[in-house]
C-alpha cells in the first residue's frame, strides 16, 4: 500500500518518521481513505506571538471567477481595470472596450465547462479541509476559521473583512492562493486588502500576518509530482519515457517582468523542485516551462503553451503531458484552455496522446499541505517574508509602496509580540 504520512509537521513518506512524534494519521492512495486518527501535539501550539483565547482567521485570497454567465462581464471589467495587471493608455476606456470585445467569447467558454467557474467551490473545499486539520494539529489556536476573498468576484475581499470583523476575529492570516508571487496577482490582492481594511477597520482591531508565497514547499511539490507522475504512467510504453512534459503557467506582460517581478523565477523554482522529485521517482521525461492565457495588445511572456504544442506535434512527437503548475484549482484556464482548446490544437498537430495532469483541487495531500503551511506560520510566530518587504527594482506604484509599509508595520507588531 502506497501510504503518505500526515502529521502536524506535514506529509512524509510512510518510511520516514523523523520530526514530529505525536499521533499519526495515514492517507492511503490505494484506498482513498484516512486511517487511524490524528491526535494533538502535546506542546503549546502557537506559543510564539500568540495569546491563547484570540480568534485566528485565515483569509484565502485569489482572483475568483464568475459564478454565472451574468457575472462574466463584471469579472472581465475588473481584470482589465486593474493596473497591477495591465497598464493601458486611457485604461478606463480601453479596459472596458477590451472586456466588452471579449465577453461573448468568454461566456461561450464558460458555457462549455458548466456555465461558471468552479473556483469558489474548490476554494471552500480546500478551506474546510484545511481548518479541520489545523484544529487537530494546533488546539491552542483553535477553532480556526477561513474566509474566501476574491479580487474580482464575490465573495469579495471586502465581504471577507466585514465578516471577520463581525465574527470577532483578532488575528488574520492573509494566505494567498497563488503559490508563486507576482505583483499582478498576490500584489493586487494585497493592495485591495489595504484599501478595504483601512476603510472598514480604521481603529485596527484586526492584526495581520501574511503567507505570500509557498511555491517550493515540499508538500506542495509532492502533490504536483503525484499529479504529473500519474499521467506519465498512463502513457503507452513506447512513448512513456520520451513524451515532453509542459509545465504551463499563466503568462505575464513583459513590462511586468522587466520591472523585476519575481513570478517568473518563482514558477521556475517550482518546476525545478517538481522535476527533481520526479527524477527521484524514476520519471525522466524531458520538460519545458511554457506560458498561457495572454490577452490584450501588450507583449507577453513566452513561449506560449499553444505554440509549444503545435511545435512538438510538427516535430513528430505523438504524446505530451501538460501540467498546470501555477494553478491549484480547476477553472477556465485548465478546464477550457488546457483541456478543450489545447486538446484540439494537439489533435490537429498529430499528438494522439495529449494528457493533462489533474489540478490539486481537494486532493488530500494538498489539503494537508495547506494546513501545514498555515500551521508552520502560526508556530513560527507569524513571520513576515523578507521577499514581500523588498520592492521590485523597477518602478513601483504609490499604492504598492503604501501596502508594503502597512505590511512592514504589521510584521513589526507581530515580532514585538513574539
Amino acid at each position: 500500500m502506497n501510504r503518505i504520512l500526515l502529521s502536524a509537521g506535514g506529509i512524509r513518506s510512510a518510511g520516514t518518521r523523523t520530526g514530529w512524534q505525536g499521533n499519526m494519521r495515514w492517507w492511503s492512495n490505494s484506498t482513498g481513505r484516512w486511517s487511524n486518527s490524528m491526535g494533538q501535539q502535546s506542546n503549546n501550539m502557537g506559543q510564539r506571538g500568540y495569546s491563547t483565547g484570540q480568534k485566528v482567521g485565515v483569509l484565502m485570497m485569489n482572483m475568483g471567477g464568475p459564478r454565472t454567465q451574468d457575472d462574466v462581464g463584471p469579472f472581465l471589467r475588473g481584470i482589465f481595470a486593474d493596473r497591477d495587471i495591465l497598464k493601458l493608455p486611457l485604461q478606463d476606456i480601453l479596459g472596458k472596450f477590451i472586456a466588452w470585445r471579449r465577453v461573448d467569447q468568454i461566456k461561450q467558454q464558460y458555457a462549455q465547462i458548466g456555465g461558471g467557474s468552479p473556483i469558489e467551490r474548490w476554494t471552500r473545499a480546500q478551506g474546510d479541509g484545511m481548518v479541520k486539520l489545523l484544529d487537530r494539529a494546533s488546539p491552542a489556536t483553535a477553532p480556526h476559521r477561513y474566509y474566501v476573498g476574491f479580487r474580482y468576484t464575490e465573495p469579495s475581499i471586502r465581504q471577507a473583512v466585514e465578516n471577520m470583523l463581525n465574527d470577532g476575529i483578532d488575528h488574520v492570516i492573509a494566505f494567498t492562493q497563488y503559490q508563486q508571487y507576482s505583483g499582478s496577482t498576490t500584489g493586487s490582492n494585497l493592495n485591495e486588502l489595504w484599501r478595504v481594511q483601512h476603510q472598514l477597520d480604521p481603529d485596527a482591531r484586526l492584526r495581520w500576518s501574511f503567507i505570500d508565497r509557498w511555491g517550493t514547499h515540499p508538500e506542495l511539490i509532492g502533490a504536483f509530482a503525484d499529479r504529473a507522475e500519474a499521467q506519465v504512467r498512463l502513457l503507452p510504453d513506447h512513448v512513456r519515457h520520451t513524451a515532453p512534459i509542459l509545465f504551463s503557467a499563466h503568462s505575464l506582460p513583459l513590462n511586468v517582468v522587466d520591472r523585476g517581478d519575481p513570478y517568473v523565477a518563482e514558477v521556475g523554482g517550482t518546476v525545478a523542485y517538481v522535476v527533481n522529485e520526479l527524477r527521484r521517482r524514476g520519471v525522466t521525461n524531458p520538460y519545458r516551462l511554457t506560458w498561457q492565457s495572454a490577452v490584450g495588445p501588450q507583449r507577453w511572456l513566452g513561449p506560449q503553451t499553444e505554440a509549444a504544442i503545435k511545435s512538438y506535434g510538427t516535430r513528430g512527437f505523438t504524446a505530451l503531458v501538460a501540467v498546470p503548475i501555477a494553478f491549484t484549482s480547476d477553472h477556465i484556464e485548465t478546464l477550457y484552455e488546457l483541456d478543450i482548446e489545447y486538446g484540439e490544437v494537439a489533435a490537429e498537430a498529430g499528438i494522439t496522446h495529449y494528457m493533462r495532469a489533474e489540478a490539486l483541487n481537494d486532493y488530500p495531500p494538498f489539503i494537508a499541505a495547506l494546513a501545514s503551511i498555515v500551521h508552520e506560520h502560526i508556530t513560527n510566530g507569524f513571520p513576515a517574508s523578507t521577499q514581500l518587504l523588498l520592492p521590485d527594482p523597477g518602478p513601483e506604484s504609490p499604492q504598492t509602496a503604501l501596502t508594503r509599509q502597512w505590511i512592514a508595520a504589521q510584521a513589526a507588531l507581530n515580532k514585538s509580540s513574539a
Side-chain angles (χ1 to χ4, degrees):
M1 180 175 65
N2 183 17
R3 295 185 300 179
I4 296 172
L5 171 63
L6 173 64
S7 71
I11 304 171
R12 301 182 179 87
S13 64
T16 305
R17 295 182 179 238
T18 58
W20 186 75
Q21 296 297 318
N23 294 331
M24 298 175 183
R25 193 177 188 225
W26 299 92
W27 170 259
S28 166
N29 281 342
S30 60
T31 65
R33 298 178 182 273
W34 295 109
S35 61
N36 301 328
S37 60
M38 184 170 73
Q40 296 178 345
Q41 189 169 355
S42 59
N43 64 314
N44 180 26
M45 286 296 181
Q47 58 188 328
R48 294 179 56 198
Y50 179 79
S51 173
T52 301
Q54 288 186 340
K55 292 183 179 180
V56 175
V58 181
L59 174 59
M60 301 179 75
M61 301 186 301
N62 209 326
M63 73 183 301
R67 291 168 170 168
T68 69
Q69 294 276 292
D70 291 340
D71 298 325
V72 172
F75 174 66
L76 292 178
R77 287 193 293 273
I79 291 174
F80 288 106
D82 187 352
R83 291 183 65 80
D84 289 321
I85 295 181
L86 291 167
K87 287 184 171 61
L88 302 171
L90 302 174
Q91 184 126 9
D92 288 345
I93 298 172
L94 186 56
K96 290 178 181 177
F97 176 74
I98 295 172
W100 173 77
R101 285 286 302 270
R102 289 180 58 81
V103 67
D104 288 340
Q105 176 188 359
I106 301 303
K107 281 184 175 181
Q108 293 172 10
Q109 294 175 5
Y110 275 109
Q112 294 185 59
I113 64 169
S117 174
I119 193 168
E120 181 182 355
R121 172 167 57 88
W122 288 125
T123 303
R124 292 194 184 282
Q126 292 157 1
D128 287 337
M130 176 187 69
V131 296
K132 288 176 183 176
L133 294 180
L134 277 173
D135 287 349
R136 295 168 183 165
S138 183
T141 55
H144 303 86
R145 299 194 63 174
Y146 77 92
Y147 300 81
V148 177
F150 288 152
R151 179 68 179 87
Y152 308 111
T153 60
E154 294 182 350
S156 66
I157 291 174
R158 173 176 291 274
Q159 291 170 328
V161 173
E162 288 174 344
N163 290 336
M164 287 186 284
L165 289 167
N166 291 335
D167 290 344
I169 296 297
D170 299 298
H171 187 111
V172 185
I173 300 169
F175 186 11
T176 180
Q177 297 306 291
Y178 305 99
Q179 63 270 24
Q180 301 101 0
Y181 182 92
S182 172
S184 63
T185 53
T186 298
S188 177
N189 276 258
L190 292 174
N191 284 341
E192 177 68 6
L193 180 59
W194 182 93
R195 289 186 286 264
V196 167
Q197 63 85 31
H198 270 68
Q199 292 168 7
L200 299 182
D201 188 24
D203 297 327
R205 283 173 45 196
L206 297 173
R207 177 79 66 87
W208 293 86
S209 60
F210 307 88
I211 301 174
D212 60 294
R213 66 200 76 207
W214 39 286
T216 58
H217 193 279
E219 297 166 40
L220 174 71
I221 297 304
F224 271 134
D226 289 347
R227 293 306 212 195
E229 181 184 15
Q231 296 304 309
V232 171
R233 301 297 184 197
L234 291 174
L235 290 170
D237 290 344
H238 68 285
V239 293
R240 183 173 301 146
H241 302 292
T242 58
I245 299 175
L246 296 187
F247 293 96
S248 186
H250 201 295
S251 189
L252 275 184
L254 286 180
N255 62 357
V256 176
V257 177
D258 289 344
R259 75 179 182 224
D261 189 280
Y263 174 74
V264 176
E266 294 193 10
V267 174
T270 303
V271 170
Y273 275 80
V274 172
V275 169
N276 185 61
E277 175 61 18
L278 289 172
R279 298 291 187 258
R280 190 188 67 80
R281 301 180 186 190
V283 178
T284 59
N285 299 61
Y287 69 95
R288 287 293 186 272
L289 171 57
T290 60
W291 308 90
Q292 65 179 90
S293 309
V295 294
Q298 295 181 315
R299 292 183 61 226
W300 288 65
L301 187 68
Q304 292 296 304
T305 302
E306 179 180 357
I309 293 171
K310 291 178 180 178
S311 174
Y312 287 125
T314 59
R315 296 182 186 200
F317 287 92
T318 60
L320 186 148
V321 177
V323 179
I325 199 65
F327 312 120
T328 57
S329 299
D330 272 322
H331 54 308
I332 195 168
E333 280 87 353
T334 58
L335 298 175
Y336 179 82
E337 193 169 3
L338 283 176
D339 288 355
I340 298 175
E341 185 177 358
Y342 295 172
E344 293 173 355
V345 169
E348 292 172 0
I351 296 174
T352 55
H353 300 285
Y354 174 73
M355 317 291 284
R356 197 266 288 179
E358 291 183 69
L360 299 180
N361 291 333
D362 60 351
Y363 183 42
F366 174 63
I367 303 300
L370 295 176
S372 288
I373 291 164
V374 176
H375 175 253
E376 291 163 11
H377 184 73
I378 294 171
T379 56
N380 289 327
F382 308 112
S385 163
T386 55
Q387 283 289 84
L388 184 57
L389 299 177
L390 180 69
D392 291 341
E396 180 178 63
S397 71
Q399 177 59 69
T400 298
L402 284 173
T403 300
R404 188 162 37 81
Q405 292 165 13
W406 170 62
I407 291 170
Q410 293 293 313
L413 286 173
N414 293 326
K415 187 173 182 180
S416 67
S417 301

